[in-house]
Amino acid sequence: MVSNIAASVSKILKSSLFRAAGTYGFFSLINSAIPFFLLPVMTRYLTPDDYGIVAIFGVMVSLLVPFVGMNAHGAYSRAYFAPDRFDSAKYMGTVIFFSLATWVVACVFFGIFRTPLSALFTFPSEWMWAVPVVALGTLLPQIVQVSWQVREQPRSYGIFQNARTLSEVGGALLFVVLLGMGWQGRVLSRVFVSVLFACAGVYILVRKQWLVFSFDKNYLSHALCFGIPLIPHSLAGILNTSIDRLFITHMVGIADTGLYTVGYQIGTVIGLAATAFNQAYVPWLFRKLNMNSEQEKIKIVKFTYLYFFVIISVAVILGALAPFLMRVLVGVQFQGSSMYVVWIALGYAFSGAYYMVVNYIFYIEKTHLLAMVTFMGAIINIFFNYFFIRWNGAVGAAQATSLMYLLTFLFVWYLSSKVYLMPWRDALKRNTNP
């Protein structure tokens, strides 16, 4: 049995699956890892209160981004591949124009309602202006990256993405470490970098002639029909990864939000690895499914079970090592963050398991099911966070996150088994090597 497993693992490691870890996965992993390496510095120059304020700022930006442009830029990838219906450069111009118009509305909204928004999010009202600025500075670079993606230029995509993240790191070091500006310096660094890369993004689009400044109401109608239905889906996804911080801030305190955020960042190492692996796994899986071979399906399922065991085991090990890692990685004030790590790591292990089963739904093109799952998950997560935090304090948010990811994984696994038949039971019985 052990020799069979070892042979199977060796075969998988040498297969096209692992060789297929392409440029997108490589750059995405680097981009996600860069802020992680900033932890040892930031946790020694920011207090838990500072870290909590920065975390809430990030939550507000994430919630606003889907409304700036109404997800219209997502339709560009469809329009680009329909040259008989759309002029892609003019379509881009329409998307940019509409994004700027909605951004102005957002600025007015945050200006008028900055006091109640400040009370709702526990964020200083005099800094509310920074939220729409960073939101636009997040959206415009995304539009540039979509432009590279549809033209199959992953290197340019990744370099631009990583350059932006590295610039944020540099800005944080300048404003927080060298100038000693605390959380205000961290927010300012995001503002400056957002403006810089928004301007750079528009310049790139114009220089490459991918953008013509024009407005077409038919193009806008097409973009909004595509983008607006995605807003609830986008918001549900954002709430799943941010509602915990809002509950902790209001029910426990802003300092605990800072501690939780640091523990969360350590736990997401599992998520980074799962996401990078999934980018290589998807094309490999789809090629195997196209063979429509029962033998190949048995191998896929056996590998999936092995993956479940490995990723959950690694999450448990990371949680056990967390107290030792924290002594090296973070400042003394953040040592208490270690108690969150195991729950967050387990949550992202279940999220990694979710990737392994949700791909069948993508393959069969039943994606409307996922909108329902995401929305239900967000609602359940709200209740979980409220009650678990009441019972267990801030660590209850981490427990709620882990349970939500587990239930989402199990529910999606059930759905995928209904829309696409795989030998989930037979693979446990047959002596077939993966």
Side-chain angles (χ1 to χ4, degrees):
M1 179 68 178
V2 175
S3 60
N4 282 342
I5 293 175
S8 299
V9 172
S10 176
K11 186 176 180 181
I12 292 165
L13 290 173
K14 295 176 181 177
S15 70
S16 59
L17 167 60
F18 279 81
R19 295 198 305 270
T23 309
Y24 283 119
F26 173 74
F27 279 117
S28 295
L29 187 60
I30 292 177
N31 188 69
S32 301
I34 289 171
F36 174 79
F37 291 113
L38 193 60
L39 265 180
V41 179
M42 290 295 103
T43 55
R44 287 170 170 81
Y45 285 87
L46 295 177
T47 67
D49 281 345
D50 290 340
Y51 228 98
I53 293 173
V54 172
I56 291 298
F57 177 76
V59 169
M60 288 191 292
V61 170
S62 297
L63 290 172
L64 181 59
V65 168
F67 293 100
V68 178
M70 302 291 181
N71 279 328
H73 68 286
Y76 176 77
S77 58
R78 180 67 187 89
Y80 179 80
F81 291 106
D84 56 321
R85 296 170 54 201
F86 305 105
D87 180 317
S88 63
K90 291 182 179 179
Y91 197 101
M92 176 65 76
T94 300
V95 168
I96 295 289
F97 179 85
F98 183 72
S99 298
L100 291 173
T102 53
W103 174 70
V104 171
V105 173
C107 289
V108 173
F109 178 84
F110 270 76
I112 294 174
F113 296 103
R114 64 181 181 276
T115 300
L117 287 171
S118 174
L120 176 63
F121 288 99
T122 317
F123 185 80
S125 60
E126 61 272 20
W127 282 86
M128 278 292 170
W129 61 270
V131 177
V133 173
V134 175
L136 181 66
T138 300
L139 176 67
L140 291 180
Q142 287 177 357
I143 294 175
V144 180
Q145 289 175 281
V146 169
S147 301
W148 272 316
Q149 197 168 17
V150 297
R151 292 171 175 83
E152 298 184 30
Q153 299 181 22
R155 186 180 297 274
S156 297
Y157 176 106
I159 290 173
F160 185 81
Q161 181 186 48
N162 289 169
R164 187 179 190 278
T165 305
L166 282 170
S167 297
E168 276 207 17
V169 170
L173 293 174
L174 172 63
F175 287 103
V176 176
V177 177
L178 295 181
L179 300 180
M181 295 180 65
W183 68 263
Q184 294 93 334
R186 187 68 187 94
V187 171
L188 271 181
S189 69
R190 293 198 63 180
V191 169
F192 282 117
V193 171
S194 296
V195 172
L196 173 64
F197 277 82
C199 294
V202 173
Y203 171 77
I204 290 169
L205 293 174
V206 172
R207 186 175 179 220
K208 290 184 174 292
Q209 299 182 344
W210 296 345
L211 166 64
V212 171
F213 289 104
S214 66
F215 178 80
D216 188 302
K217 63 180 182 180
N218 292 324
Y219 287 2
L220 179 61
S221 177
H222 174 268
L224 293 181
C225 285
F226 180 96
I228 289 178
L230 290 176
I231 291 178
H233 178 70
S234 300
L235 286 178
I238 293 166
L239 285 174
N240 277 339
T241 57
S242 62
I243 195 68
D244 44 11
R245 293 162 179 78
L246 295 179
F247 271 108
I248 292 172
T249 298
H250 282 281
M251 296 178 67
V252 186
I254 194 71
D256 289 271
T257 302
L259 292 173
Y260 177 83
T261 301
V262 170
Y264 196 100
Q265 285 183 269
I266 301 295
T268 54
V269 168
I270 303 296
L272 300 180
T275 300
F277 175 81
N278 189 60
Q279 289 177 311
Y281 179 70
V282 169
W284 179 87
L285 174 67
F286 286 6
R287 283 197 301 271
K288 294 292 185 180
L289 295 179
N290 283 339
M291 296 178 184
N292 199 27
S293 163
E294 190 66 17
Q295 191 77 358
E296 290 297 326
K297 289 180 180 180
I298 290 284
K299 294 178 181 179
I300 291 168
V301 171
K302 285 198 169 188
F303 172 69
T304 302
Y305 286 140
L306 177 63
Y307 179 89
F308 290 167
F309 173 77
V310 170
I311 196 169
I312 292 173
S313 298
V314 172
V316 172
I317 292 170
L318 178 62
L321 294 176
F324 306 99
L325 292 174
M326 288 299 186
R327 293 173 192 169
V328 178
L329 290 176
V330 303
V332 176
Q333 297 180 81
F334 291 86
Q335 297 296 314
S337 298
S338 61
M339 65 179 174
Y340 306 110
V341 175
V342 66
W343 295 107
I344 299 301
L346 279 173
Y348 275 99
F350 298 138
S351 177
Y354 158 89
Y355 288 148
M356 298 296 284
V357 296
V358 77
N359 289 319
Y360 301 104
I361 296 176
F362 285 119
Y363 181 77
I364 206 69
E365 298 182 14
K366 299 283 187 181
T367 52
H368 63 280
L369 297 172
L370 296 180
M372 176 187 69
V373 172
T374 308
F375 181 76
M376 287 177 57
I379 299 300
I380 292 171
N381 199 27
I382 290 173
F383 285 100
F384 279 176
N385 268 276
Y386 176 76
F387 287 107
F388 275 77
I389 292 173
R390 281 194 65 181
W391 296 332
N392 300 326
V395 75
Q399 294 165 343
T401 297
S402 185
L403 183 57
M404 182 272 296
Y405 278 125
L406 172 61
L407 293 179
T408 301
F409 155 57
L410 293 175
F411 187 47
V412 170
W413 192 1
Y414 171 78
L415 284 179
S416 70
S417 71
K418 294 299 181 182
V419 300
Y420 191 85
L421 296 180
M422 290 291 288
W424 296 109
R425 293 182 180 176
D426 290 348
L428 295 173
K429 302 174 184 176
R430 299 184 185 182
N431 187 23
T432 306
N433 292 328

